[in-house]
Amino acid sequence: MNTINSADICVIGGGICGALLARKLALAGSSVLMLESGPRVGRGELVERYRHSAFKSDFMAPYPFSEMSPHPVFTPEANKYIEQVGPHAFQAQYIRMLGGTSWHWAAQMWRYLPSDFKTQSLYGVGKDWPISYEELEPYYYEAEVISGVGGSLETGSPRSQPFPMEPVPASYFQQRVTERLAPDFKVLDDCTARNSRSFDGRPACCGNNNCMPVCPIDAQYHGGIAATSAEKAGVHTITEAVVYKLEHDDQGAITAVNYYDWNKTSHRVTAKTFVIAANAIESVKLLLMSASPKFPNGLANRSDQMGRNLCDHPAIGVTFDVDEPIWPGRGPVSPCSIGQFRDGDFRREHAPFRIDISNSSQVASVTKELIGAGYYGVKLEGSIRDRASRRMSIKNALEQLPDPDNRVTLSDKKDALGLPTPRIYWDIDDYVKKGTVETRKRYDEIAKQLGATNIKHSKEGAFSNRQHITGTLSMGKDEKNSVTDPFGRAHDHPNLYMVGTGVMPTVGTCNVTLTAVALALRTADKILSEARHA
Ligand SMILES: Cc1cc2nc3c(=O)[nH]c(=O)nc-3n(C[C@H](O)[C@H](O)[C@H](O)COP(=O)(O)OP(=O)(O)OC[C@H]3O[C@@H](n4cnc5c(N)ncnc54)[C@H](O)[C@@H]3O)c2cc1C
Ligand code: SF4
């Protein structure tokens, strides 16, 4: 066991946000210790685990589960790690392992729209952010350069510099769908951190369609790469270190963190500055677990905002068979989407949304469907070829508005280390429900334009999670209705910062991680400038 127990800065959580913040601080000369609750596992082992998995559509399947640092599991049976107490189950999917949840993502790295930062002043809904798009723009670019992002120029998010990466060439699927849907629907290249050429010591995408749950050749960026680059920059990492409590002095400054190793031996780490980067659910858990006589409702929670305003992108989907073979399954799984419903005055009335077009291979789902319908032998084989070549699957990302009742708290249940598991209350309001009505209309128009048959909408009233978890550590200028200041510093604790998607006050309509990374890089600058002034 590594015994290092102090540093200038202690970062809790080795996911993409914690690792890239830690890297930036180390490159600037700070001593940084990163504590990660999960194990260190290499890409080769993950690919091998996926190869042998019986559950190929389960993105969590390759990622080792540990009782010591548990995460939610849904296949083959739900482990009920999260206690669900609301009308809708919040099916959060996250990985507790060095590199974090973005190990199994689609590497979509979108910027918010400028309007996403001020929906209250523009449309009278949601919240205004304490910072503007323009303030974040340089950090968006810094994050895009680190991870190698390419994408469409027509997203509505202004750029001061060109994308650092050219997009991966469009597959036949993407070309045909784009042509057939024009001009009513404009299909754009997704903004993704995916190599179209050798970059950063990693190869170009070879189009084998395995991006989720793991890219076998690291052509797409993820938190594991971020953690490795942090270590190369000098960050000291301790894995299997489950932080369970923060200590503070009489003024509320944080003095130490305590973690259990996987033998349940407790260790104490001191630092000048602490950064919590343990994701939008586990960070809340940790701060609530750290309650003390001075802060009986948990740290950073004098405002009673901790864990509230939990948002995700609730999604509904549709599948259908196009009237020509379009051959999904060659090229990246998330190549393109329709962005024209992301913004407009209609946001006063109903949720905006982005329509995500999947290019995942449809062979497994089509085969299951056909066997279920009694097909076998030659007819089964021919039908698989026919339907899998024409099957199209799309889903959306609806903006959910912050609601203080949607909340993460502590459950009475305990994990193997005796730590409470998360409890979540989640409901979906009429703003989203009205957005689903609009979405279904668009889905039907798209299906019609593609001459579709066998159209299957997702069940009325059912939503899936998109894993874009925001709001629980919301930043704001007013300490009465936010958890951190505009730099991610806890209102209640001068040397405690938070990074990750939780600090984002609203969820917008695009995948959230690029914005969280940009904010983390900005927080790193703030920590460095505070250190200089001290
Ligand atoms: C299937 C899937 C696909 C996705 N695709 C995309 C996408 O294409 N684009 C996008 O923008 N987003 C995507 N996301 C969301 C994205 O993965 C997350 O937004 C992102 O990983 C959040 O980064 P983070 O660093 O804040 O948290 P995480 O990546 O979750 O990292 C947090 C780290 O903290 C550690 N930790 C937790 N508790 C403790 C503790 N007590 N002590 C010490 N360490 C702790 C965890 O082990 C973990 O390593 C996807 C998510 C899923 C599940
Ligand atoms: S298609 Fe996806 S999995 Fe295959 S190389 Fe490209 S990024 Fe990696």
Side-chain angles (χ1 to χ4, degrees):
M1 167 56 60
N2 201 318
T3 53
I4 285 191
N5 59 8
S6 81
D8 290 341
I9 299 146
C10 175
V11 177
I12 300 153
I16 191 166
C17 293
L20 287 178
L21 167 128
R23 173 181 176 270
K24 186 166 180 178
L25 295 172
L27 287 173
S30 308
S31 74
V32 187
L33 176 59
M34 190 160 76
L35 301 173
E36 164 54 49
S37 61
R40 180 190 295 271
V41 185
R43 176 168 48 86
E45 183 182 335
L46 298 172
V47 175
E48 209 48 34
R49 289 171 64 94
Y50 183 55
R51 197 192 301 277
H52 295 296
S53 163
F55 305 105
K56 292 284 188 284
S57 60
D58 175 19
F59 297 149
M60 292 301 282
Y63 299 95
F65 177 82
S66 162
E67 300 288 350
M68 299 301 157
S69 179
H71 55 227
V73 169
F74 301 101
T75 307
E77 274 173 30
N79 69 349
K80 300 191 177 154
Y81 171 64
I82 295 177
E83 185 190 1
Q84 309 282 354
V85 291
H88 288 270
F90 193 89
Q91 306 272 24
Q93 214 183 54
Y94 54 85
I95 299 174
R96 292 181 74 182
M97 188 183 104
L98 184 62
T101 310
S102 61
W103 264 106
H104 68 6
W105 67 345
Q108 293 209 40
M109 290 192 94
W110 292 81
R111 296 176 174 206
Y112 270 36
L113 301 171
S115 52
D116 292 337
F117 290 77
K118 43 188 179 189
T119 54
Q120 181 54 236
S121 24
L122 288 175
Y123 306 119
V125 295
K127 281 184 188 177
D128 283 357
W129 285 48
I131 60 170
S132 66
Y133 178 89
E134 291 71 27
E135 277 170 273
L136 202 56
E137 206 278 338
Y139 295 99
Y140 269 140
Y141 184 65
E142 187 180 341
E144 289 168 344
V145 169
I146 293 170
S147 48
V149 177
S152 167
L153 286 172
E154 298 165 86
T155 57
S157 306
R159 312 183 54 80
S160 58
Q161 313 232 40
F163 278 109
M165 179 67 63
E166 309 70 42
V168 170
S171 63
Y172 179 76
F173 166 88
Q174 184 179 345
Q175 291 173 35
R176 281 307 291 148
V177 170
T178 306
E179 284 159 12
R180 293 276 314 261
L181 291 183
D184 298 342
F185 296 95
K186 197 164 172 49
V187 178
L188 302 176
D189 280 331
D190 281 343
C191 298
T192 51
R194 186 171 292 128
N195 288 355
S196 56
R197 57 177 155 80
S198 298
F199 165 70
D200 195 25
R202 296 177 289 113
C205 168
C206 60
N208 64 17
N209 203 244
N210 207 75
C211 327
M212 286 187 288
V214 57
C215 172
I217 61 169
D218 264 357
Q220 63 179 15
Y221 192 80
H222 58 81
I225 298 168
T228 304
S229 70
E231 292 184 312
K232 276 192 191 142
V235 173
H236 193 91
T237 307
I238 304 179
T239 54
E240 301 179 13
V242 185
V243 179
Y244 66 92
K245 193 172 181 62
L246 277 67
E247 298 173 21
H248 61 81
D249 65 15
D250 290 346
Q251 276 70 49
I254 306 302
T255 48
V257 301
N258 298 273
Y259 71 86
Y260 287 132
D261 64 28
W262 282 14
N263 297 315
K264 208 179 171 180
T265 304
S266 187
H267 304 257
R268 187 167 183 272
V269 167
T270 57
K272 292 179 200 139
T273 304
F274 297 84
V275 182
I276 300 189
N279 90 31
I281 294 174
E282 294 295 322
S283 298
V284 172
K285 213 182 86 178
L286 174 57
L287 288 159
L288 293 178
M289 283 192 296
S290 299
S292 67
K294 187 174 172 69
F295 298 101
N297 298 322
L299 299 191
N301 196 24
R302 277 206 283 224
S303 59
D304 189 31
Q305 294 299 300
M306 173 64 58
R308 292 188 183 273
N309 300 303
L310 169 72
C311 287
D312 191 355
H313 287 137
I316 59 169
V318 67
T319 62
F320 47 77
D321 296 336
V322 180
D323 61 8
E324 64 168 311
I326 45 172
W327 300 108
R330 175 79 185 118
V333 296
S334 292
C336 53
S337 54
I338 297 170
Q340 64 214 59
F341 310 108
R342 291 182 67 194
D343 197 23
D345 209 45
F346 66 83
R347 282 174 96 167
R348 293 178 186 284
E349 306 299 329
H350 68 78
F353 52 93
R354 195 169 54 84
I355 298 179
D356 230 326
I357 301 176
S358 169
N359 180 35
S360 294
S361 163
Q362 299 292 326
V363 173
S365 59
V366 161
T367 305
K368 194 169 162 206
E369 177 184 297
L370 290 168
I371 290 174
Y375 286 56
Y376 61 92
V378 177
K379 193 172 169 205
L380 173 64
E381 193 186 334
S383 302
I384 291 172
R385 284 180 200 283
D386 172 48
R387 278 203 206 170
S389 72
R390 296 191 292 116
R391 176 65 49 89
M392 186 157 158
S393 163
I394 58 185
K395 60 181 184 273
N396 70 346
L398 285 147
E399 177 168 36
Q400 182 177 29
L401 299 176
D403 171 353
D405 289 340
N406 287 334
R407 188 174 192 189
V408 180
T409 52
L410 299 180
S411 165
D412 297 330
K413 286 196 304 177
K414 302 277 192 291
D415 68 16
L417 289 173
L419 305 177
T421 64
R423 170 186 286 159
I424 293 187
Y425 178 96
W426 198 47
D427 199 0
I428 307 256
D429 67 9
D430 282 347
Y431 189 70
V432 166
K433 288 179 186 156
K434 285 187 209 156
T436 65
V437 175
E438 292 303 312
T439 307
R440 273 176 214 270
K441 274 192 223 157
R442 304 303 175 183
Y443 283 175
D444 286 335
E445 288 164 16
I446 290 170
K448 193 166 171 211
Q449 206 151 319
L450 293 169
T453 49
N454 197 15
I455 302 167
K456 288 186 185 138
H457 287 279
S458 55
K459 213 169 114 204
E460 189 82 44
F463 297 90
S464 53
N465 282 81
R466 290 297 306 274
Q467 314 303 345
H468 303 150
I469 310 168
T470 59
T472 51
L473 310 163
S474 184
M475 55 163 56
K477 284 185 182 148
D478 183 350
E479 54 190 59
K480 289 198 211 64
N481 56 26
S482 56
V483 176
T484 77
D485 75 8
F487 289 96
R489 186 204 319 242
H491 290 302
D492 303 342
H493 311 280
N495 62 342
L496 176 64
Y497 291 82
M498 296 166 213
V499 297
T501 53
V503 298
M504 298 165 59
T506 60
V507 71
T509 47
C510 64
N511 311 53
V512 289
T513 311
L514 178 74
T515 302
V517 171
L519 290 166
L521 296 171
R522 183 169 171 270
T523 298
D525 268 356
K526 181 68 176 171
I527 292 172
L528 292 170
S529 83
E530 295 275 307
R532 274 195 294 275
H533 286 106

